Amino acid sequence: QMCIRDSPNTGSMGSVILNSKSLYKYIPKQYILEAENVNTNVINILNKTNSSNTPYIGVIYGSYMLCTNNKLKVIEFNSRLGDPEGVLTLYSFTNDLTTIFSAMIDGTLNKIILDKVDENVVGVYIVPTLYPLPTHDKYHIYFKNTMNTINDNNLNKDFNMFNKSLSLVYGACEYSLSHLYTESSRTMLIVGKHNMLYKATNYVYNN
């Protein structure tokens, strides 16, 4: 929520993908298996309730919360890559995404071998001050030092961003007359990755 009580809900403001070394250090395996089971059940239900008798083909992922009573609670399911959970997934493998989507359509996804990147990935959104309240105000976006270089490289179509330890993903912002402006939603995602979680986090917050 925007404030402590009785205020508008924001979208997801950030996410972390843990590498194989960090994963079970922070999340007990039982909860991961439980979440995987829920995901499978959701897919099965979608397939059974589809009136056209065609299977669900697409992206789907659940957002979960571990409550104080040690129960796993589903917050929501998404079928798009717009939230940070979806965006960061693209940093966890090096395969061509169009090849994966084609295999999904052709029913050959089981033949795709993911070239996984075993690193911690941390992503945090920058948002306008009043987010999530709607606004027509636009604010100038300025960068300095490392982030300025990254932004320039992005605008010059440097497509190697997924291989970098620090990168920038544009969201609700407008590019006009060689300058960036905020819009009313999540503006941009700052992403850091490293095999040490604290270093991936520092890449984001120290830049």
Side-chain angles (χ1 to χ4, degrees):
Q1 289 185 312
M2 181 180 180
C3 304
I4 296 176
R5 295 177 182 170
D6 301 324
S7 60
N9 289 331
T10 70
S12 178
M13 299 296 287
S15 184
V16 176
I17 289 182
L18 300 173
N19 66 6
S20 56
K21 183 178 180 180
S22 302
L23 182 59
Y24 297 124
K25 178 180 178 181
Y26 294 101
I27 305 176
K29 188 174 183 179
Q30 69 186 85
Y31 298 117
I32 297 172
L33 295 176
E34 183 179 349
E36 289 177 350
N37 185 54
V38 172
N39 291 344
T40 300
N41 288 338
V42 168
I43 288 290
N44 290 337
I45 292 171
L46 282 174
N47 290 339
K48 290 179 181 178
T49 58
N50 191 340
S51 58
S52 62
N53 294 319
T54 56
Y56 177 83
I57 299 175
V59 175
I60 191 167
Y61 55 94
S63 295
Y64 300 88
M65 177 171 60
L66 185 59
C67 300
T68 53
N69 61 358
N70 292 323
K71 298 292 185 180
L72 202 63
K73 180 178 180 179
V74 175
I75 300 174
E76 64 178 1
F77 272 85
N78 274 296
S79 57
R80 61 189 179 90
L81 292 174
D83 282 333
E85 301 95 316
V87 175
L88 295 194
T89 300
L90 302 179
Y91 284 81
S92 62
F93 58 86
T94 60
N95 303 65
D96 185 345
L97 194 59
T98 56
T99 301
I100 294 176
F101 285 162
S102 295
M104 291 164 65
I105 295 170
D106 297 337
T108 57
L109 186 59
N110 61 332
K111 296 181 180 179
I112 296 292
I113 299 175
L114 280 182
D115 297 322
K116 295 182 180 179
V117 178
D118 192 29
E119 290 189 293
N120 297 292
V121 188
V122 177
V124 176
Y125 263 116
I126 295 174
V127 299
T129 303
L130 295 179
Y131 174 77
L133 300 178
T135 177
H136 295 293
D137 295 334
K138 295 182 183 290
Y139 297 95
H140 294 268
I141 299 174
Y142 295 101
F143 301 93
K144 63 180 183 179
N145 304 329
T146 303
M147 294 309 301
N148 186 56
T149 301
I150 291 173
N151 178 61
D152 287 344
N153 289 340
N154 282 357
L155 298 180
N156 289 323
K157 299 183 179 180
D158 175 10
F159 296 116
N160 292 318
M161 55 182 288
F162 294 109
N163 299 323
K164 305 293 177 60
S165 58
L166 180 66
S167 58
L168 173 65
V169 180
Y170 303 106
C173 53
E174 177 185 338
Y175 185 62
S176 177
L177 300 176
S178 301
H179 191 70
L180 284 167
Y181 301 87
T182 64
E183 293 186 336
S184 61
S185 189
R186 293 172 289 186
T187 307
M188 55 186 62
L189 187 70
I190 310 300
V191 181
K193 67 175 190 173
H194 196 275
N195 58 1
M196 300 294 290
L197 180 57
Y198 81 92
K199 288 190 176 182
T201 304
N202 286 344
Y203 282 142
V204 172
Y205 284 100
N206 291 344
N207 285 282

